Amino acid sequence: MEHTPSDQIDRVKAPEENFTGDVEFGPLSNVEPDGLNALEVHFQPGARTDWHRHPNGQVLYVLAGEGLVQNAAGERVEIATGDVVYASPDELHWHGASAHSHMSHLSLTTGGATQWEPRKVTDEEYDGPTS
Ligand code: MN
């Protein structure tokens, strides 16, 4: 058994190369090759990932705040505390905080590293369709 007290979780700033805005990771698991990768991810308002895929999909569980998830097919959902989103294997998508709220989610993946597209989420994409 391994116990990590909350104040000993090693939070690190997410790289600007793959994210827009202020984002922090808190790794919750020791990742073996092809093992479970569990991360707490904290987004400040307006912060988001770049477009990306996960080889075996991804479970997102919202711990706090409000945010957005969108895929390349144009599906777009608003998420809030307690919501769960599943991104299918290789589904191109992004996620982040809403413009007016921080957002923290748990990310659960297996199957190795995130596959990043060389593509930021533009402000136009982030703001979404206007009706
Ligand atoms: Mn993802």
Side-chain angles (χ1 to χ4, degrees), residues 24-82:
E24 279 194 347
F25 293 140
L28 305 180
S29 57
N30 293 315
V31 184
E32 302 294 331
D34 205 36
L36 173 66
N37 187 7
L39 286 174
E40 172 202 355
V41 190
H42 187 78
F43 300 80
Q44 293 296 333
R48 66 267 191 178
T49 69
D50 292 356
W51 288 93
H52 64 281
R53 300 176 162 88
H54 306 281
N56 288 356
Q58 179 182 39
V59 172
L60 298 175
Y61 176 58
V62 182
L63 300 168
E66 296 175 14
L68 297 161
V69 185
Q70 185 171 7
N71 69 16
E75 290 178 283
R76 178 184 174 93
V77 291
E78 296 182 356
I79 54 175
T81 307

Side-chain angles (χ1 to χ4, degrees), residues 73-98:
E75 290 178 283
R76 178 184 174 93
V77 291
E78 296 182 356
I79 54 175
T81 307
D83 287 4
V84 174
V85 175
Y86 175 66
S88 298
D90 295 321
E91 181 177 359
L92 185 60
H93 70 286
W94 61 267
H95 31 108
S98 68

Side-chain angles (χ1 to χ4, degrees), residues 90-110:
D90 295 321
E91 181 177 359
L92 185 60
H93 70 286
W94 61 267
H95 31 108
S98 68
H100 61 270
S101 174
H102 70 100
M103 190 274 288
S104 294
H105 65 52
L106 180 63
S107 164
L108 301 173
T109 60
T110 63

